Amino acid sequence: MTRHPVELWRNRHMMPDRHAGQVSPPAVPRMIVPAYFHPAAAPDQWDRMAAHADQIRLVVLNPASGPGDGPDLAFQPALRRLRQAGVRLIGYADTNYGQRPWRDALADVRRYLAWYQVAGVMFDRVSAGLADLRSYALLARRARQAGAEVVVFNHGVYPHPAYARHADVLGTFEGPWDVYLEQAVPQWTRAWPAERFYHVVYSVPPAQLTNAFLMAGRRRAGCAYLTDLSGGNPYRRLPAVVPSALPWMRTTWLSRPWLSRPWMGAPWTGT
C-alpha cells in the first residue's frame, strides 16, 4: 500500500530528543505577520488578525517602507483592536545589509515608538556575515535603550550563529516554496529554542500549506508566515488559505487547541 506523502514526511522527520531518548514532535509555529497593507484599504484583513490573536506572536507594522514622515491616524483604530486582543506590534525598519547608517534605522525605531507605541522592531535586510556583527549588535542595543522590548533580525538566510545573541528572533528563511523544499538547517540552531527562528515562505500552492506548516516546525521555526501569494509584494494581504491541523497533530498536541481550527479562510472540513 502506498503511504500518504505527509505521513512519510512526518515519520521521517520527527526529532529525536537526545536528553530523554524519545522522539519529540516538531515545533508548533506561531505567526509573525508582515502586515504590509493599509487598514483603510483592507480593514477586513486587520479584523481577521484581531479575531485570531491567539495564533499570532507579532504583527509587523510598515506604513511607508518604514514609519513614514509622520503618524498615519488611519492605523490607530486597527492597532487599538489588535492591542485589545493581546497582539504585540513591532515596526519595520530597513538596514540594507549594513549599507544604511545605523542612526537612520534607529531614528525609525524612535518614530515607531513615539507615533504607534509599538513593542519593538523588525530590522529587515540584515547582514548575515560576521563582518557586520558589531554594527548590528550596537543597533540592537541602542534600539532596546530607546524602548524596544522586542528586536527581530530578518536575514532571510541563516546568519553567523553569533547574531542569535543580539536579537529575540532571527528570520532565517524568506523565499518561495520551491526553494524552501531544499532548505537545510544548520546544527547550531539546536542550541536555541525554536521560538527564536522565523521562516517566511511565499508562493506556496494552497494544497501544500499544511505540508509547509509541518516543515517549518520540523526545521526549528517556532515562528512562521506561509502564504499562497507571490509577485513583487506577497504581503499585500493575508493568505487566502492557511494550514489546518491534521488528526495526529490534534491527538499529540492537545495543549495547542488552536491547531484544530484554521487561522482564517474557509472552515476546515477534515476529519
Side-chain angles (χ1 to χ4, degrees):
M1 180 183 296
T2 301
R3 301 174 70 184
H4 192 280
V6 173
E7 181 184 355
L8 290 171
W9 183 91
R10 174 206 168 195
N11 292 339
R12 204 166 48 237
H13 293 283
M14 291 292 277
M15 185 182 304
D17 186 331
R18 63 179 180 272
H19 300 292
Q22 299 176 348
V23 174
S24 302
V28 181
R30 296 183 71 201
M31 303 294 172
I32 296 181
V33 182
Y36 302 169
F37 36 82
H38 198 279
D44 61 313
Q45 306 288 288
W46 295 82
D47 291 341
R48 284 181 171 183
M49 288 190 290
H52 297 275
D54 58 338
Q55 299 172 38
I56 298 174
R57 180 174 176 184
L58 298 166
V59 167
V60 184
L61 178 65
N62 187 12
S65 296
D69 297 326
D72 187 337
L73 298 181
F75 277 90
Q76 295 302 335
L79 301 186
R80 185 163 51 249
R81 287 195 299 274
L82 289 176
R83 289 194 184 94
Q84 290 171 347
V87 175
R88 302 189 83 187
L89 301 159
I90 61 175
Y92 171 97
D94 184 32
T95 69
N96 194 22
Y97 303 108
Q99 298 303 304
R100 188 183 186 202
W102 68 266
R103 288 183 175 82
D104 291 351
L106 183 62
D108 281 354
V109 176
R110 289 178 170 142
R111 292 186 186 103
Y112 278 116
L113 290 166
W115 298 344
Y116 299 106
Q117 296 76 53
V118 296
V121 59
M122 184 181 82
F123 291 116
D124 194 25
R125 297 202 294 171
V126 175
S127 299
L130 192 58
D132 290 328
L133 176 64
R134 292 184 64 183
S135 296
Y136 280 103
L138 174 64
L139 179 58
R141 185 167 64 251
R142 292 295 177 88
R144 295 186 196 279
Q145 291 171 349
E149 299 173 5
V150 178
V151 174
V152 178
F153 284 168
N154 187 31
H155 306 272
V157 298
Y158 283 96
H160 188 281
Y163 280 90
R165 295 199 294 265
H166 302 286
D168 301 289
V169 180
L170 300 181
T172 54
F173 181 86
E174 183 176 2
W177 169 243
D178 59 346
V179 176
Y180 193 59
L181 289 171
E182 306 300 325
Q183 176 75 4
V185 181
Q187 285 290 329
W188 68 262
T189 62
R190 291 178 179 267
W192 299 90
E195 66 187 20
R196 300 291 295 272
F197 301 101
Y198 173 42
H199 291 179
V200 177
V201 189
Y202 51 81
S203 303
V204 182
Q208 295 296 327
L209 279 163
T210 295
N211 282 348
F213 182 85
L214 292 171
M215 292 175 71
R218 169 61 186 120
R219 291 170 175 180
R220 296 195 50 75
C223 308
Y225 187 74
L226 313 169
T227 180
D228 55 316
L229 297 183
S230 57
N233 179 16
Y235 318 121
R236 60 190 178 274
R237 63 168 173 77
L238 298 171
V241 181
V242 298
S244 301
L246 298 175
W248 67 268
M249 294 168 72
R250 294 202 305 274
T251 301
T252 305
W253 299 332
L254 292 176
S255 63
R256 307 285 186 130
W258 61 266
L259 280 170
S260 63
R261 69 184 195 278
W263 179 44
M264 64 192 65
W268 183 60
T269 57
T271 57

